[in-house]
Amino acid sequence: MKQLKLTGFIFFLFFLTESLMLPTELQDLDNFNVTQKFIEENVEYITIITFAQYVQEATFEEMEKLVKEMVEYKDSCMANSMLPKCSKLPNDVLQEAICAMEGLPQKHNFSHCCSKADAERRLCFLYNKKADVGFLSPFPTLDPEEKCQALENNKESFLNHFVYEVARRNPFVFAPTLLTVAAHFGDVAKSCCEEQNKVNCFQTRAVPVMQYLKAFSSYQNNVCGALLKFGTKIINSINIAILSQKFPKIEFKELISLTEDVSSNYDECCEGDVVHCIHHMSKIMNHICSKQDAFSSKIKECCEKKIPERDQCIINSNKDDRPKDLSLREAKFTESENVCQERDADPDTFFAEFNFEYSRRHPDLSISQLLRVVQMYKDLLRNCCNTENPPDCYHYAEDKFNEATEKSLKKIQQECKHSQNLGKDGLKYHYLIRLTKIAPQLSTEELVSLGKKMVTVFTTCCTLNEEFACVENLADLVLGELCGVNENRTINPAVDHCCKSNFAFRGPCFESLTAHKTYVPPPFSQDLFTFHADMCQSQNEELQKKTDRLLVNIVKLKYEVTNEELQSLLTNFVNAVEKCCKAEKDEEKLVCFNKESPKIVT
């Protein structure tokens, strides 16, 4: 991974053997050493990621000061590795260094975290992360020629700046993902700077890298949000469903062990413990690669790669083929006479196994639907096991599951048909209006972003064979973004209830929401609806953004207006732009906009 290898300090080296659980098997030792070498070679990136995610407001120059301080720390540990400070946890060392930077905690409002210690301080830094990065300036963009000049002048500084800017805007993205993105971007920059048409090269090759980042950011934010709001138990359920679909031939005992490891890894990665996140993830992937026959036939090429590409490749790999000898249903959960006794003996293991057996038999279902089926089964047994003849009661469980799934499937099919009838713009306006009405407290930029992502859900999924799973899985990521990562995020009582009451039923809960009844519209601001001649210079994409923001602001202001009236106001705006931009002089355009604007906001 040439683009990631950087010279610098190796401050983790001396205390990792103290702070991490040491490997016991020869194969584990080999993987530990490989991972350790990777960390040593990329420790500067790791420091940048940790600092930028914890203190998003910090400047690049402040980050460089921390790097310098950590070099001094490294030097002292190299001179005497027996010093007490050299045996501390990596994350604790870094947080202590951040807190010790003169004036930094006060300047960036995290001094309350620095007054705590150990686990309390780590949690405080976690809760201090801000998923909504509207307070940061727009992501800096350079002309391709400027990019290439910066790369040529100082490649290390160029890539460090990139990692810093990406990490502070994605505070919950796991370090291995950010390192992979950095490596790919480095490859793209190097290659494109050798091309004659640099602009086209960057547009073609850099976009997929950023889309990759956005996809993983959305998923990892959702996982971390679920962890903080619902705890490890729901994370285990999610992972059982995901891993069972991905590795349908895995043994249940192996699955439980893997699930516990993955859930524990999420705990570390969400917290921002970069070193443990990398080590633990690498250990998990090494275990999977050491037992490929037991896991999947789809990961052979992935396991030949180096970290972190290997790890990301396995995560992205396709679901394995369903075993030919796997029956359509597992009889022990609906036809056994002893279901209630087995449930009572060990409820957690019993329902985990049901989740496993049902999920690996239904790769076409969404994770939320699988979790809803598990909840339905729990509710059914709670009732059936109190009757005189439980087997007669739960014998028809599979039929009930199928009915519920069929109902959800038809709903998705109807939504796909509706989205195709509306068209891309109509669908976007539909969701901008709906999202603003149920969560008007969100910022205009947040609502525009969420609306755009809901459009992506349907334009991406509704032509696929597995449209049901695709729509629900992607829509759930959008809802996860709406709900936010931190458990103390509050929007309004109805939305908060959907976000925090039941992860599996979050989608249906949102579908049932209507306009927020107690919302008080903001005072009218003419500035929001004052249009200037430069509107006519806007490119199509920029004009579309302005149109989207206008619609959200109109909905917030005219909250009781019907969707049809809102659509009419939007049409008035489009017509006004088209009419006024035909004027030759800017003064004439401005007069026209002043005349037409009352038709939009009154």
Side-chain angles (χ1 to χ4, degrees):
M1 194 161 178
K2 295 177 181 177
Q3 293 297 329
L4 283 178
K5 186 171 181 178
L6 298 168
T7 58
F9 52 96
I10 310 173
F11 69 91
F12 294 116
L13 177 62
F14 300 101
F15 53 85
L16 268 171
T17 52
E18 298 292 332
S19 61
L20 293 173
M21 185 178 293
L22 288 174
T24 55
E25 300 291 335
L26 187 61
Q27 191 174 33
D28 289 341
L29 179 63
D30 181 59
N31 179 64
F32 184 91
N33 290 335
V34 170
T35 308
Q36 181 60 36
K37 186 174 185 294
F38 172 80
I39 289 173
E40 292 166 12
E41 292 175 344
N42 295 284
V43 70
E44 189 166 340
Y45 273 174
I46 289 168
T47 306
I48 294 171
I49 290 169
T50 306
F51 183 51
Q53 289 188 326
Y54 278 145
V55 191
Q56 294 159 268
E57 303 89 345
T59 65
F60 185 76
E61 290 70 29
E62 287 168 335
M63 184 276 299
E64 286 184 311
K65 289 180 182 178
L66 178 68
V67 171
K68 183 179 177 182
E69 289 188 26
M70 295 311 297
V71 169
E72 293 173 0
Y73 171 84
K74 179 268 302 185
D75 290 340
S76 64
C77 284
M78 284 186 71
N80 184 1
S81 62
M82 299 306 293
L83 290 172
K85 66 179 181 180
C86 300
S87 63
K88 293 181 180 179
L89 289 168
N91 214 32
D92 287 347
V93 172
L94 197 49
Q95 287 181 358
E96 286 175 8
I98 291 171
C99 287
M101 293 180 73
E102 186 176 355
L104 195 76
Q106 294 75 24
K107 179 182 177 182
H108 298 305
N109 300 313
F110 63 90
S111 54
H112 59 291
C113 294
C114 296
S115 64
K116 304 177 188 298
D118 303 325
E120 283 190 5
R121 184 175 60 199
R122 292 195 291 272
L123 277 177
C124 185
F125 269 101
L126 168 63
Y127 291 132
N128 209 47
K129 290 183 177 185
K130 305 170 189 68
D132 180 8
V133 294
F135 63 93
L136 295 177
S137 58
F139 192 95
T141 56
L142 294 174
D143 175 86
E145 292 292 345
E146 293 177 309
K147 280 192 182 91
C148 294
Q149 189 61 55
L151 181 67
E152 183 181 343
N153 291 343
N154 190 330
K155 184 177 75 171
E156 184 174 312
S157 177
F158 173 76
L159 292 176
N160 282 355
H161 269 91
F162 175 77
V163 173
Y164 159 76
E165 295 291 358
V166 170
R168 68 201 292 242
R169 287 170 174 78
N170 296 275
F172 294 98
V173 173
F174 301 167
T177 301
L178 290 174
L179 291 170
T180 300
V181 168
H184 288 320
F185 182 75
D187 290 339
V188 167
K190 181 182 177 184
S191 176
C192 288
C193 288
E194 295 172 355
E195 294 285 333
Q196 188 172 357
N197 191 340
K198 296 178 177 61
V199 174
N200 183 63
C201 182
F202 272 106
Q203 288 177 344
T204 303
R205 296 191 56 194
V207 169
V209 176
M210 301 314 289
Q211 287 177 337
Y212 175 90
L213 172 64
K214 287 179 181 179
F216 270 84
S217 174
S218 184
Y219 175 72
Q220 289 165 0
N221 280 7
N222 198 36
V223 168
C224 293
L227 177 64
L228 292 175
K229 289 182 177 70
F230 300 101
T232 305
K233 199 165 185 176
I234 189 64
I235 291 297
N236 284 340
S237 297
I238 292 170
N239 284 330
I240 288 172
I242 292 173
L243 294 171
S244 300
Q245 284 189 328
K246 194 175 190 70
F247 305 134
K249 63 183 178 184
I250 192 175
E251 295 291 333
F252 177 62
K253 287 184 179 180
E254 183 75 65
L255 172 85
I256 292 300
S257 176
L258 180 62
T259 297
E260 290 173 353
D261 278 344
V262 171
S263 297
S264 175
N265 186 226
Y266 282 159
D267 202 7
E268 296 160 347
C269 294
C270 290
E271 186 179 296
D273 190 342
V274 174
V275 174
H276 281 82
C277 177
I278 294 172
H279 258 288
H280 201 159
M281 184 175 290
S282 181
K283 182 181 177 183
I284 291 168
M285 298 305 174
N286 188 64
H287 176 69
I288 291 173
C289 287
S290 71
K291 294 185 174 182
Q292 290 184 48
D293 291 342
F295 281 95
S296 174
S297 62
K298 308 285 186 180
I299 59 175
K300 186 177 185 298
E301 289 186 5
C302 294
C303 291
E304 293 171 355
K305 298 179 182 290
K306 295 181 179 180
I307 62 169
E309 289 104 323
R310 178 196 65 178
D311 306 352
Q312 300 296 303
C313 181
I314 293 172
I315 292 169
N316 288 326
S317 64
N318 293 327
K319 298 170 186 173
D320 198 16
D321 301 325
R322 175 175 165 162
K324 293 180 181 179
D325 59 348
L326 187 65
S327 61
L328 293 177
R329 64 172 67 184
E330 177 51 68
K332 68 175 285 186
F333 294 104
T334 56
E335 297 174 19
S336 168
E337 298 286 325
N338 304 315
V339 167
C340 296
Q341 293 89 326
E342 290 184 36
R343 180 203 65 170
D344 294 341
D346 187 351
D348 288 344
T349 302
F350 178 80
F351 288 115
E353 188 174 2
F354 172 77
N355 187 356
F356 160 67
E357 294 292 358
Y358 198 85
S359 297
R360 70 188 186 128
R361 285 171 168 79
H362 295 87
D364 56 324
L365 298 186
S366 68
I367 301 304
S368 293
Q369 181 64 23
L370 292 170
L371 297 187
R372 289 196 289 270
V373 167
V374 173
Q375 187 61 52
M376 285 177 61
Y377 187 54
K378 287 181 179 179
D379 295 341
L380 182 69
L381 291 189
R382 191 179 297 115
N383 175 53
C384 291
C385 292
N386 287 320
T387 63
E388 290 185 3
N389 194 335
D392 276 356
C393 179
Y394 57 68
H395 180 71
Y396 299 101
E398 197 80 31
D399 294 336
K400 294 183 182 295
F401 303 153
N402 292 338
E403 287 174 15
T405 297
E406 189 63 29
K407 184 178 179 182
S408 296
L409 175 60
K410 285 183 178 178
K411 194 169 191 62
I412 295 296
Q413 289 172 335
Q414 289 171 354
E415 289 180 1
C416 279
K417 186 175 181 180
H418 180 58
S419 70
Q420 288 162 356
N421 291 337
L422 286 174
K424 193 172 182 178
D425 286 342
L427 181 65
K428 180 174 60 176
Y429 298 145
H430 166 77
Y431 274 106
L432 287 176
I433 293 170
R434 171 152 176 72
L435 288 167
T436 306
K437 285 200 169 186
I438 66 174
Q441 295 83 1
L442 294 179
S443 71
T444 298
E445 294 303 323
E446 276 187 279
L447 289 164
V448 168
S449 174
L450 291 168
K452 187 177 179 181
K453 288 175 181 177
M454 283 303 299
V455 172
T456 301
V457 169
F458 289 97
T459 55
T460 300
C461 298
C462 288
T463 57
L464 301 179
N465 292 331
E466 292 186 4
E467 67 175 14
F468 176 29
C470 181
V471 168
E472 277 221 327
N473 285 337
L474 291 189
D476 195 59
L477 296 183
V478 180
L479 295 181
E481 185 174 334
L482 190 159
C483 291
V485 179
N486 291 332
E487 60 181 338
N488 58 356
R489 174 174 165 99
T490 298
I491 300 171
N492 63 54
V495 170
D496 293 346
H497 170 74
C498 290
C499 288
K500 298 175 182 178
S501 59
N502 191 309
F503 182 86
F505 289 87
R506 186 163 62 181
C509 183
F510 271 101
E511 288 170 13
S512 68
L513 292 184
T514 56
H516 186 215
K517 293 181 172 57
T518 60
Y519 172 70
V520 178
F524 177 80
S525 174
Q526 185 62 49
D527 290 343
L528 292 174
F529 304 100
T530 299
F531 310 112
H532 303 285
D534 63 358
M535 179 76 75
C536 300
Q537 271 81 52
S538 300
Q539 298 296 320
N540 287 340
E541 186 177 350
E542 183 58 32
L543 182 60
Q544 197 59 59
K545 288 179 182 177
K546 291 180 179 179
T547 305
D548 297 343
R549 287 194 289 267
L550 175 73
L551 178 58
V552 170
N553 287 328
I554 290 175
V555 176
K556 286 188 174 189
L557 187 68
K558 304 170 78 67
Y559 200 64
E560 300 300 325
V561 173
T562 65
N563 291 3
E564 290 74 18
E565 289 173 306
L566 288 168
Q567 190 68 46
S568 176
L569 292 174
L570 192 63
T571 301
N572 289 342
F573 169 72
V574 173
N575 291 339
V577 171
E578 184 177 347
K579 177 181 178 181
C580 296
C581 288
K582 288 179 180 178
E584 293 184 4
K585 297 181 180 179
D586 286 352
E587 293 81 1
E588 294 173 352
K589 293 173 183 176
L590 187 58
V591 170
C592 179
F593 277 125
N594 288 337
K595 182 180 179 181
E596 295 294 324
S597 61
K599 298 178 184 179
I600 301 169
V601 294
T602 57

